[in-house]
Amino acid sequence: MVYSNKSSYKQVGFLNKLKVKMGKRLAKNFPLNSVRIWGLKLCDFKIQKNVYIGEELIIASIISEKSCQLEIENRVAIGPRVTLILSSDANWSHLMKKIPPIKGKIILEHDCWIGAGSIILPNIKIGHNSIVAAGAVVTKDVLPNTVVAGVPAKKIKDI
């Protein structure tokens, strides 16, 4: 990805970029959950205990940007084909001159369940004991003990 104002980004070295790319690939495709978790840890994401990561996890982030962070607390379950968007930009488009890249952090608090095919946008916190229904697009924080569903995700009930 190319940015119009690279000076605002913390630059990281080639080997670190390679490590992050490898970690993301392991987290996405490896058949063993423990290796998928190790892959996320290679990316310097904070992963706690008893976490399940479904296959085909997509993490969209600027590889050279350290401010894109992911925190997954204890006993979180992430279904298959979930997309976690830590950053987004217009790449080569002239829109980059008008719209800066969006980057941020996603926090998945303990005991939450992220359904298959869900998409979570940057700067979102999913509260403890919450459920994100399959296929939901989360654009706002989810309160603890809440079930959200839809596009955009809306509260459908309390747990």
Side-chain angles (χ1 to χ4, degrees):
M1 293 182 217
V2 175
Y3 300 103
S4 59
N5 183 5
K6 286 190 177 190
S7 63
S8 66
Y9 296 96
K10 298 175 193 170
Q11 296 295 312
V12 295
F14 171 77
L15 290 178
N16 194 49
K17 287 180 186 181
L18 189 61
K19 181 178 86 165
V20 170
K21 277 190 176 263
M22 178 186 260
K24 284 184 176 183
R25 180 136 321 175
L26 288 171
K28 180 177 182 183
N29 296 318
F30 206 84
L32 296 174
N33 183 58
S34 59
V35 177
R36 289 194 297 269
I37 291 169
W38 181 70
L40 292 178
K41 289 180 178 181
L42 270 178
C43 300
D44 292 327
F45 297 139
K46 295 176 183 146
I47 315 297
Q48 293 184 7
K49 296 181 180 184
N50 299 317
V51 169
Y52 176 77
I53 307 290
E55 290 188 28
E56 297 186 38
L57 174 69
I58 295 171
I59 299 177
S61 67
I62 303 167
I63 290 175
S64 60
E65 176 57 50
K66 285 289 200 181
S67 68
C68 296
Q69 297 175 4
L70 174 63
E71 292 182 24
I72 302 176
E73 295 182 0
N74 293 320
R75 299 172 305 278
V76 169
I78 299 176
R81 297 186 178 154
V82 167
T83 302
L84 303 175
I85 301 175
L86 299 174
S87 66
S88 183
D89 61 39
N91 287 320
W92 301 103
S93 170
H94 288 290
L95 288 172
M96 286 296 294
K97 296 174 185 171
K98 298 178 182 187
I99 302 170
I102 299 165
K103 57 186 177 174
K105 179 180 202 174
I106 293 176
I107 300 172
L108 306 177
E109 292 186 341
H110 64 86
D111 298 298
C112 70
W113 176 14
I114 311 301
S118 300
I119 299 171
I120 301 176
L121 298 181
N123 298 311
I124 298 291
K125 181 189 287 188
I126 307 295
H128 65 275
N129 298 319
S130 292
I131 299 172
V132 174
V137 177
V138 182
T139 60
K140 297 179 181 177
D141 288 351
V142 176
L143 295 174
N145 302 300
T146 303
V147 178
V148 298
V151 180
K154 294 182 179 169
K155 178 179 172 179
I156 57 172
K157 71 178 186 177
D158 290 316
I159 297 177

